[in-house]
Amino acid sequence: MKKFVVKSTALLLAAGFAATAYSAESLQDVMKRRNLSQQDLLAASKTYVPTGKRDEFVAFSSGGQSGQQGNIDGKEINWGDTHHPAISETQGKYDGQFLFINDKANPRLAVIDLRDFETKQIVVNPIFKSEHGGAFVTPNTEYVIEAAQYASPLENKKFYPLEEFNEKYRGGVTYWKFDRKEGRINPKESFSLELPPYSQDLSDAGKGPSDGWSFTNSFCSERYVGGIEKGRPPYEAGCSAKDTDYLHVINWKKAAELVAAGKAKKINGHNVLMMETAIKEGILFLVPEPKSPHGVDVTPDGKFLTVAGKLDTHVSVYSFEKIQAAIKAGKFESKDPYGIPVIGMKDALHTQVQLGLGPLHTQYDSKPCIAYTSLYVDSQVVKWNHCEGKVLDKISVHYNIGHLMTMEGDSADPKGRYLVALNKLAIDRFVPVGPLHPQNHQLIDISNDKMQLLYDMPVPLGEPHYVVAIEAAKLKPGVRYKVGTDSRTDKAHPGATKAGEEETVKKGNKITVYGTLIRSHITPETIEAEVGDEITIHLTNLERAQDETHGFTVSTYNTHASVEPGKTVTVKFKADKEGVYPYYCTEFCSALHLEMQGYLLVKPKGWKPGKVVAAKAVYTETDYKATVKKVVDTQVVIDSVVGYITSVNFKDFPDVVNMVDDATDQLNKIKDAKAKHEAAAAKKDWDQANLWAEQVWQYQVKAADIGLRAKTYLEQNGAKKVK
Ligand code: RUQ
Ligand code: CUA
């Protein structure tokens, strides 16, 4: 504390302030002024990340009712309802390579590559109309599991009346085959299992002893169909009438073998293993579970599954071993209406624990047997022991928690430390912004016996259902793309363009631009078109310097691209309005970013230029000489920076090598511009001479800027002198 006072006083003095006018605040002063308790200080010291330090964990949150784009059945989709992100696993542990997330509203699944955090693929479920129980990965990410939610006919665009619900409507689970090498889902090798119309809910994959199996909850196994307008009680009444619903227990490894052996039926071109086959082959079972369950969460050791029922105050812990014993012994209490064997609840249960009102989801700790469950109605998190079946601690949250998340807490190797409560409401928490409050994430310390609430964080946009967090050290994102890469395919982009090879090609009414971006200009700087032309612009960012992203937009043509170092992107639009439309770079990329601009000129059909009046000269010989002197002076600075860099072991620093390459690129362009200004000067064309000399200076400035960054980097990272 004392140190803090001394340091800040020194700072003020150094800044030239009179110490008497501005005395430094002590920690006590701040506590008093801000009305902070010792507990607050403890929480602050556990969460504050000092400048220059980094977070230990990174969380990926679903965006709920948000999203941007897609296409299903030829219809554009402008939003999604994402619920459950999942990180790829190797032997049940997070490997930090890929992220998957489901869209409940439009049954889709996205693949995000964690090398660049970009969505690489979105697959549309071929047989469902909605889905909730995704995304869940098998222990080596062989498959990504996605279960249906609201039953509907599996055939696409096929109508059956609701009266035929039991016969024609179906649920199911899809196992999307993931090709790790390609970083893509392979729809051809994916398959689904037909299930009864039971409103399948969340899922989880087995691991360790339960590897090869997956588990999917359901609600409304009553198969109730509402219809208030016909005088029927609503869905909510009919869907919660029975005391139990069903947990689906599926042997997915065997199912995959059966599909490979040709036992699946093709529906909408997709492999579907029918219930009849699954029952006959002994790979599908049901276990009753208390009323309207929600989450099913396999323990890190893979021996148990915790099921929480929204309308039951207990969590039910099922034993995988007991389930297997019942299956082996053929001990079933009944069959469901579709002939699926039902294992008795007693024969499968390990224990039930009374936790409170509205238990929803469970996550695990790094300490054995310790679990945390969210209580939606009570607005609490319960810490409990799933081996011994006892409650250990409870903490209140604000309010109505849905999911909760511990660090890597759904993997085979949870990290403990923190828990995040994902609350549905934020009443009384943050500065209000109208009737819709932000979402509320609360960070809780779970490293001690008692849970401690550390921090409230508002989250904008749609409702973040589930979140996954991973140790930051496991993420290994790339710094730049190989120049000319299409980041959607990770392959060379057909429109990739090298420096000096930019061109605009016109064929009929089609204009294709092969352009480049580099500090601080867009090539080309004018694009000329006629009304009605279809314009395709390929842009390659030639930079190799870290974080030198350029953006691109054209006024009112509803188009934008973010072009990171090395990336090539394509924007397309129809020039359907006559006029003059500026385009520019949208990232503040250098001191001359605002000048990174150009014009799209859309002329009326058949337009011809009138008589052009020659422009009057702007610059004189004196201007030209002054610019040339500026160039000479700047070269001195560059030489000294280059002198420093080459005097140390810069080659041992790959980032610096890239910066040096980048600076050299800029310097190499000088020769051409220099020849131009000298030729113009010889002809006494002082306008051209001065402008090209200015361009030489631009290249120098950019090179110097990169050079200075490299120098700072080397000084801070302990570069050594070389002889
Ligand atoms: S859900 S609040 Cu979509 Cu995971 Cu339970
Ligand atoms: Cu490129 Cu601003």
Side-chain angles (χ1 to χ4, degrees):
M1 193 186 73
K2 201 162 172 205
K3 207 167 150 206
F4 173 76
V5 177
V6 169
K7 208 166 146 196
S8 48
T9 310
L11 256 176
L12 289 172
L13 285 173
F17 290 105
T20 46
Y22 298 92
S23 64
E25 273 185 310
S26 72
L27 191 55
Q28 265 78 21
D29 294 336
V30 176
M31 282 176 75
K32 207 165 142 210
R33 178 166 59 81
R34 300 199 60 213
N35 198 13
L36 300 176
S37 65
Q38 287 290 337
Q39 193 69 2
D40 293 332
L41 282 202
L42 185 62
S45 66
K46 285 182 184 182
T47 51
Y48 176 63
V49 181
T51 175
K53 299 221 165 129
R54 293 186 187 184
D55 286 314
E56 290 164 83
F57 294 95
V58 174
F60 297 90
S61 174
S62 71
Q65 313 87 335
S66 57
Q68 281 148 357
Q69 58 171 318
N71 200 298
I72 297 181
D73 297 337
K75 265 203 179 4
E76 210 195 324
I77 307 262
N78 284 321
W79 84 293
D81 184 13
T82 61
H83 280 227
H84 305 112
I87 291 175
S88 56
E89 295 179 5
T90 301
Q91 294 181 346
K93 298 175 186 176
Y94 286 4
D95 56 33
Q97 293 181 10
F98 297 94
L99 183 78
F100 308 93
I101 192 157
N102 72 317
D103 174 3
K104 171 171 165 169
N106 321 291
R108 298 182 294 173
L109 195 86
V111 181
I112 297 149
D113 192 328
L114 295 179
R115 277 174 303 184
D116 57 2
F117 287 51
E118 277 201 15
T119 302
K120 300 291 176 175
Q121 185 186 26
I122 297 177
V123 287
V124 179
N125 193 291
I127 55 170
F128 302 154
K129 292 293 171 287
S130 68
E131 62 94 337
H132 188 230
F136 298 92
V137 298
T138 56
N140 285 303
T141 323
E142 299 96 333
Y143 290 94
V144 188
I145 301 172
E146 182 189 48
Q149 180 112 84
Y150 305 112
S152 49
L154 300 183
E155 299 104 305
N156 250 336
K157 298 186 204 148
K158 182 89 186 163
F159 170 76
Y160 291 104
L162 284 163
E163 284 71 22
E164 293 178 44
F165 190 86
N166 293 353
E167 298 76 33
K168 298 292 189 196
Y169 288 51
R170 287 292 177 268
V173 188
T174 299
Y175 298 87
W176 289 106
K177 178 82 189 143
F178 185 61
D179 182 335
R180 196 187 283 265
K181 224 181 98 229
E182 289 293 315
R184 301 290 186 282
I185 278 167
N186 182 341
K188 283 211 187 79
E189 287 189 32
S190 304
F191 67 94
S192 297
L193 187 59
E194 178 204 31
L195 291 177
Y198 291 160
S199 297
Q200 279 77 29
D201 204 26
L202 290 171
S203 306
D204 204 359
K207 51 187 138 215
S210 54
D211 186 12
W213 292 73
S214 72
F215 313 95
T216 298
N217 270 339
S218 63
F219 61 89
C220 205
S221 58
E222 291 86 350
R223 295 178 292 166
Y224 180 73
V225 178
I228 319 182
E229 47 301 304
K230 289 185 193 151
R232 285 172 70 78
Y235 277 97
E236 57 177 329
C239 280
S240 56
K242 279 200 320 175
D243 276 343
T244 54
D245 285 293
Y246 289 124
L247 171 70
H248 302 70
V249 176
I250 300 160
N251 186 337
W252 64 258
K253 249 186 201 156
K254 196 85 184 288
E257 285 165 23
L258 294 171
V259 172
K263 302 233 164 147
K265 191 175 145 185
K266 289 264 186 213
I267 302 182
N268 308 329
H270 170 73
N271 283 317
V272 182
L273 204 57
M274 305 310 280
M275 272 193 280
E276 210 192 324
T277 318
I279 296 165
K280 203 165 75 210
E281 301 283 347
I283 62 161
L284 172 62
F285 307 91
L286 298 172
V287 188
E289 48 185 8
K291 262 185 167 199
S292 300
H294 194 39
V296 50
D297 299 284
V298 177
T299 54
D301 61 12
K303 290 185 182 163
F304 302 99
L305 0 153
T306 303
V307 169
K310 301 180 291 252
L311 301 181
D312 186 76
T313 56
H314 297 87
V315 281
S316 306
V317 183
Y318 291 89
S319 155
F320 182 71
E321 207 182 304
K322 286 191 178 175
I323 291 173
Q324 288 306 307
I327 293 171
K328 277 215 187 75
K331 194 172 175 219
F332 305 113
E333 67 172 21
S334 61
K335 279 183 181 171
D336 87 331
Y338 300 91
I340 308 173
V342 180
I343 300 166
M345 197 179 343
K346 285 187 317 302
D347 297 328
L349 269 182
H350 165 66
T351 182
Q352 282 188 310
V353 192
Q354 179 148 31
L355 296 186
L357 297 179
L360 290 187
H361 298 285
T362 298
Q363 290 266 297
Y364 302 97
D365 202 332
S366 51
K367 297 167 201 134
C369 299
I370 304 296
Y372 302 85
T373 299
S374 53
L375 299 180
Y376 178 80
V377 179
D378 277 342
S379 290
Q380 287 186 317
V381 172
V382 195
K383 175 178 180 176
W384 57 288
N385 183 311
H386 66 76
C387 302
E388 293 162 24
K390 55 175 200 229
V391 172
L392 302 171
D393 188 27
K394 283 191 183 188
I395 190 167
S396 293
V397 291
H398 299 259
Y399 294 95
N400 296 84
I401 177 172
H403 276 273
L404 77 180
M405 181 264 301
T406 55
M407 304 303 106
E408 305 192 12
D410 59 13
S411 76
D413 186 24
K415 302 292 179 217
R417 307 283 302 281
Y418 305 103
L419 180 149
V420 179
L422 310 169
N423 308 334
K424 302 296 184 191
L425 307 177
I427 308 164
D428 78 20
R429 249 26 215 169
F430 311 108
V431 178
V433 290
L436 176 66
H437 291 262
Q439 312 291 327
N440 179 8
H441 283 187
Q442 289 185 302
L443 182 69
I444 295 167
D445 182 354
I446 54 168
S447 39
N448 304 298
D449 291 342
K450 283 249 155 235
M451 292 179 275
Q452 184 199 355
L453 182 57
L454 296 178
Y455 196 74
D456 301 348
M457 183 175 100
V459 188
L461 294 170
E463 176 190 351
H465 284 259
Y466 185 42
V467 174
V468 285
I470 182 170
E471 277 180 328
K474 285 187 184 170
L475 297 172
K476 305 263 185 292
V479 171
R480 60 188 68 76
Y481 296 98
K482 190 167 165 216
V483 175
T485 301
D486 178 344
S487 65
R488 296 297 144 92
T489 59
D490 295 317
K491 303 202 162 88
H493 192 297
T497 305
K498 289 194 186 120
E501 291 177 11
E502 298 88 351
E503 61 172 341
T504 300
V505 182
K506 180 152 186 172
K507 263 195 207 132
N509 70 336
K510 291 194 171 40
I511 294 182
T512 310
V513 176
Y514 297 86
T516 60
L517 304 166
I518 192 159
R519 276 158 295 164
S520 313
H521 51 266
I522 301 170
T523 309
E525 295 195 327
T526 42
I527 300 172
E528 297 186 39
E530 276 190 358
V531 173
D533 283 350
E534 282 167 29
I535 302 190
T536 303
I537 305 174
H538 304 295
L539 291 168
T540 300
N541 181 345
L542 300 173
E543 310 274 358
R544 268 167 288 172
Q546 196 161 340
D547 207 20
E548 272 305 338
T549 294
H550 300 288
F552 179 78
T553 188
V554 184
S555 165
T556 69
Y557 269 105
N558 190 30
T559 183
H560 182 256
S562 169
V563 201
E564 292 83 50
K567 198 197 238 184
T568 300
V569 300
T570 301
V571 297
K572 278 187 185 183
F573 57 93
K574 193 166 173 188
D576 49 10
K577 316 176 278 183
E578 173 191 328
V580 173
Y581 302 94
Y583 53 84
Y584 68 93
C585 165
T586 54
E587 286 266 341
F588 211 111
C589 51
S590 72
L592 286 156
H593 148 76
L594 295 178
E595 290 77 356
M596 200 162 169
Q597 62 171 71
Y599 282 103
L600 165 68
L601 306 169
V602 185
K603 305 173 208 174
K605 277 225 159 59
W607 185 88
K608 288 264 165 354
K611 224 174 103 195
V612 182
V613 189
K616 246 178 82 193
V618 177
Y619 300 105
T620 61
E621 184 175 3
T622 322
D623 294 326
Y624 173 62
K625 288 206 166 127
T627 307
V628 169
K629 176 161 191 311
K630 186 165 72 174
V631 165
V632 172
D633 295 346
T634 307
Q635 195 57 45
V636 176
V637 179
I638 293 176
D639 291 345
S640 88
V641 175
V642 171
Y644 168 80
I645 294 173
T646 50
S647 74
V648 298
N649 58 335
F650 79 96
K651 290 197 175 134
D652 297 340
F653 301 86
D655 278 332
V656 173
V657 171
N658 271 297
M659 287 189 237
V660 169
D661 281 353
D662 220 46
T664 312
D665 266 4
Q666 294 285 346
L667 293 174
N668 283 342
K669 292 184 184 156
I670 288 179
K671 207 173 141 208
D672 185 44
K674 187 168 183 255
K676 283 184 175 146
H677 78 70
E678 286 171 355
K683 286 192 281 175
K684 299 199 187 310
D685 180 350
W686 303 120
D687 261 16
Q688 283 286 313
N690 188 50
L691 288 168
W692 280 114
E694 279 290 347
Q695 186 57 39
V696 169
W697 189 64
Q698 286 307 328
Y699 293 133
Q700 287 182 315
V701 168
K702 278 170 262 182
D705 175 54
I706 307 164
L708 287 168
R709 262 194 273 166
K711 182 171 178 252
T712 312
Y713 184 103
L714 290 167
E715 284 165 352
Q716 287 175 352
N717 289 280
K720 288 191 194 67
K721 284 264 166 225
V722 288
K723 287 283 136 61

